[in-house]
Protein backbone atom coordinates (compact mmCIF):
# COMPACT_ATOMS: atom_id res chain seq x y z
CA UNK A 1 0.00 0.00 0.00
CA UNK A 2 1.24 3.45 -0.85
CA UNK A 3 0.01 7.02 -0.83
CA UNK A 4 1.38 10.38 -1.82
CA UNK A 5 3.53 11.82 0.98
CA UNK A 6 1.28 14.89 1.24
CA UNK A 7 -1.77 12.66 1.67
CA UNK A 8 0.00 10.57 4.31
CA UNK A 9 1.07 13.69 6.18
CA UNK A 10 -2.49 15.05 6.16
CA UNK A 11 -3.92 11.74 7.39
CA UNK A 12 -1.45 11.38 10.24
CA UNK A 13 -1.76 15.03 11.24
CA UNK A 14 -5.56 14.82 11.19
CA UNK A 15 -5.45 11.74 13.46
CA UNK A 16 -3.55 13.78 16.09
CA UNK A 17 -1.51 10.76 17.10
CA UNK A 18 0.04 11.29 20.55
CA UNK A 19 3.41 9.88 19.49
CA UNK A 20 3.82 12.39 16.64
CA UNK A 21 5.38 15.77 17.36
CA UNK A 22 4.63 17.67 14.13
CA UNK A 23 2.89 20.99 14.61
CA UNK A 24 1.75 21.34 10.97
CA UNK A 25 1.05 19.03 8.04
CA UNK A 26 4.23 20.37 6.43
CA UNK A 27 6.25 19.36 9.51
CA UNK A 28 4.64 15.92 9.32
CA UNK A 29 5.61 15.62 5.66
CA UNK A 30 9.21 16.43 6.57
CA UNK A 31 9.18 13.80 9.35
CA UNK A 32 7.79 11.20 6.96
CA UNK A 33 10.47 11.97 4.38
CA UNK A 34 13.23 11.76 7.00
CA UNK A 35 11.83 8.46 8.30
CA UNK A 36 11.72 7.04 4.77
CA UNK A 37 15.34 8.00 4.16
CA UNK A 38 16.38 6.35 7.43
CA UNK A 39 14.40 3.19 6.65
CA UNK A 40 15.89 3.02 3.15
CA UNK A 41 19.41 3.09 4.54
CA UNK A 42 18.61 0.47 7.17
CA UNK A 43 16.92 -1.91 4.72
CA UNK A 44 19.79 -1.59 2.29
CA UNK A 45 22.33 -2.18 5.04
CA UNK A 46 20.60 -5.18 6.62
CA UNK A 47 18.78 -6.79 3.71
CA UNK A 48 20.43 -5.31 0.62
CA UNK A 49 17.08 -4.32 -0.86
CA UNK A 50 15.40 -1.07 -1.73
CA UNK A 51 12.02 -1.33 -0.03
CA UNK A 52 10.70 1.48 -2.25
CA UNK A 53 11.52 -0.38 -5.47
CA UNK A 54 8.07 -1.29 -6.70
CA UNK A 55 9.35 -4.30 -8.62
CA UNK A 56 9.80 -6.05 -5.25
CA UNK A 57 6.04 -6.35 -4.79
CA UNK A 58 3.29 -8.45 -6.36
CA UNK A 59 0.51 -5.98 -5.67
CA UNK A 60 0.72 -2.19 -5.51
CA UNK A 61 -2.19 -0.02 -4.45
CA UNK A 62 -2.02 3.76 -4.31
CA UNK A 63 -4.42 4.58 -1.49
CA UNK A 64 -4.19 8.35 -1.94
CA UNK A 65 -7.73 8.65 -3.21
CA UNK A 66 -9.30 5.38 -2.08
CA UNK A 67 -11.55 4.55 0.83
CA UNK A 68 -10.81 1.62 3.13
CA UNK A 69 -13.57 -0.34 1.43
CA UNK A 70 -12.10 0.28 -2.03
CA UNK A 71 -8.69 -0.87 -0.83
CA UNK A 72 -10.14 -4.08 0.61
CA UNK A 73 -12.00 -4.70 -2.65
CA UNK A 74 -8.81 -4.32 -4.69
CA UNK A 75 -6.95 -6.73 -2.42
CA UNK A 76 -9.80 -9.23 -2.51
CA UNK A 77 -10.04 -9.05 -6.30
CA UNK A 78 -6.31 -9.65 -6.58
CA UNK A 79 -6.39 -12.64 -4.23
CA UNK A 80 -9.37 -14.20 -5.99
CA UNK A 81 -7.40 -14.19 -9.26
CA UNK A 82 -4.48 -16.05 -7.68
Amino acid sequence: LDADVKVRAQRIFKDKRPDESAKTPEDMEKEITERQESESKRYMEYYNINQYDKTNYDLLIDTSELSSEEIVNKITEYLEKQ
Side-chain angles (χ1 to χ4, degrees):
L1 302 178
D2 194 17
D4 180 78
V5 69
K6 290 183 186 303
V7 172
R8 288 185 281 154
Q10 287 287 343
R11 288 176 179 167
I12 294 168
F13 189 76
K14 183 180 171 188
D15 283 348
K16 299 193 184 307
R17 298 177 185 176
D19 57 332
E20 299 290 349
S21 60
K23 303 284 187 231
T24 67
E26 293 77 18
D27 289 343
M28 182 58 63
E29 188 175 335
K30 183 178 177 196
E31 287 183 18
I32 290 169
T33 302
E34 289 170 355
R35 190 176 306 133
Q36 276 184 233
E37 291 170 2
S38 173
E39 288 174 354
S40 286
K41 289 177 187 174
R42 187 175 68 249
Y43 269 71
M44 189 55 73
E45 180 180 336
Y46 290 118
Y47 309 112
N48 199 33
I49 63 166
N50 176 355
Q51 69 182 45
Y52 297 107
D53 178 356
K54 294 179 178 175
T55 63
N56 290 327
Y57 302 96
D58 294 327
L59 176 62
L60 301 170
I61 301 173
D62 183 347
T63 66
S64 298
E65 311 234 350
L66 299 177
S67 68
S68 298
E69 185 176 326
E70 291 170 313
I71 296 165
V72 169
N73 287 340
K74 286 186 176 287
I75 294 169
T76 302
E77 287 171 12
Y78 174 80
L79 292 173
E80 287 173 347
K81 291 179 182 177
Q82 297 304 306

